[in-house]
């Protein structure tokens, strides 16, 4: 899942999140989609969440070194 900060016509990727299963990912997406950082400001940035599309999946030990 990709989480982006949306302000007007500009968007910035904040992070990527991996979930144990699709149901958990969908629950998180539904709960946070469109979250406004400041309810008092009409033009406050909002979260835009979408499922990430990666052509390759990283191995579970990616980035770890052997001791």
């Amino acid at each position: 899942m990709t989480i982006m900060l949306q302000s007007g016509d500009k968007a910035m990727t904040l992070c990527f999140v991996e979930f144990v299963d699709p149901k958990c990912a969908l629950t998180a997406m539904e709960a946070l989609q469109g979250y406004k950082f400041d309810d008092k400001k009409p033009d406050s940035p909002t979260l835009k969440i979408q499922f990430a599309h990666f052509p390759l999946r990283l191995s579970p030990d990616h980035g770890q070194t052997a001791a």
Side-chain angles (χ1 to χ4, degrees), residues 44-62:
S44 176
T46 58
L47 284 181
K48 179 181 177 189
I49 302 172
Q50 63 188 33
F51 289 112
H53 301 282
F54 294 104
L56 300 174
R57 184 164 186 101
L58 299 176
S59 65
D61 62 345
H62 178 74

Side-chain angles (χ1 to χ4, degrees), residues 4-48:
M4 296 180 286
L5 179 64
Q6 180 91 33
S7 182
D9 61 345
K10 296 180 182 178
M12 174 179 53
T13 301
L14 295 177
C15 65
F16 295 95
V17 181
E18 189 170 324
F19 291 88
V20 174
D21 60 50
K23 185 178 178 182
C24 289
L26 183 60
T27 300
M29 177 185 268
E30 290 173 345
L32 296 171
Q33 189 70 270
Y35 173 83
K36 191 176 262 194
F37 284 90
D38 188 344
D39 285 335
K40 296 176 184 173
K41 293 183 179 180
D43 59 344
S44 176
T46 58
L47 284 181
K48 179 181 177 189

